[in-house]
Amino acid sequence: ILPRIIAIILDSKDGLSQQYLMECVIHVFSENFIITTLRTILNVFTKLSQSVDVKGLFISILDKISKYLSND
């Protein structure tokens, strides 16, 4: 499902939409899924519109992974 979601996100050329959709991906999918697909997700960051706050997205992923690892 992730490749299809990524295609939808990248088809949208609007930075605000891309930002929102990437935040949704980060918050909706489980930590295990995010960790497993991290390389793919980070690769998407390089293809997003220049107006997207990639740093903020990266911080969101790190926060999610950090909270998950601290609960183990």
Side-chain angles (χ1 to χ4, degrees), residues 14-16 18-19 22 48-55 57:
D14 178 57
L16 186 59
Q18 289 181 341
Q19 178 85 33
M22 286 303 297
L48 296 172
S49 171
Q50 290 182 356
S51 63
V52 174
D53 178 20
V54 175
K55 179 181 175 183
L57 294 173

Side-chain angles (χ1 to χ4, degrees), residues 18-28 53 56-57 60:
Q18 289 181 341
Q19 178 85 33
Y20 175 75
L21 292 170
M22 286 303 297
E23 286 286 349
C24 289
V25 167
I26 293 167
H27 293 288
V28 168
D53 178 20
L57 294 173
S60 293

Side-chain angles (χ1 to χ4, degrees), residues 4-16:
R4 181 66 185 132
I5 293 171
I6 289 170
I8 292 169
I9 292 170
L10 294 178
D11 283 345
S12 169
K13 301 300 179 195
D14 178 57
L16 186 59

Side-chain angles (χ1 to χ4, degrees), residues 2 6 33-45:
L2 186 60
I6 289 170
F33 184 83
I34 296 294
I35 292 169
T36 303
T37 60
L38 188 58
R39 184 180 305 266
T40 302
I41 293 170
L42 294 177
N43 188 38
V44 172
F45 286 2

